Amino acid sequence: QASPSSRESDDAGSNSSELQRFRPRAVLTEAEAIEIYKQRKKPSNHLGAHHLPPGNTVSALSKRFNVSPKTIRDIWNRRTWTPETQ
């Protein structure tokens, strides 16, 4: 049986690898933020419906830029990178 301290370090190791799936506290470049913003939903011709260009889902972009899906949504919703994406 593992001691509590070794279990904690094992848990911490699995958590840290999970956290490193994205770039915690990573800094996107201005060019990356602009590229992400350009891939946002665009209105279609049908009563204000929106669509994403193929392959530009939040999940796909978060993997492509190695950031969290929330980072993508924040850029699209102009919570972050607002001056650069105007």
Side-chain angles (χ1 to χ4, degrees):
Q1 180 175 350
S3 67
S5 61
S6 68
R7 262 188 263 128
E8 290 171 357
S9 64
D10 289 346
D11 290 343
S14 65
N15 288 340
S16 64
S17 64
E18 178 66 23
L19 291 174
Q20 290 178 6
R21 194 170 99 203
F22 302 114
R23 298 184 309 191
R25 306 221 189 266
V27 177
L28 286 170
T29 66
E30 182 176 337
E32 289 172 323
I34 291 168
E35 179 62 26
I36 290 168
Y37 186 75
K38 286 179 180 178
Q39 304 306 316
R40 73 194 184 286
K41 293 179 182 178
K42 296 186 174 65
S44 71
N45 296 334
H46 303 292
L47 301 174
H50 290 78
H51 71 281
L52 286 172
N56 289 343
T57 63
V58 170
S59 178
L61 288 171
S62 69
K63 289 175 186 171
R64 178 175 159 198
F65 289 96
N66 198 27
V67 295
S68 72
K70 183 179 184 314
T71 299
I72 304 298
R73 290 190 306 271
D74 285 349
I75 292 169
W76 284 356
N77 293 325
R78 303 184 129 221
R79 288 187 194 108
T80 57
W81 292 97
T82 304
E84 295 80 6
T85 57
Q86 288 184 350

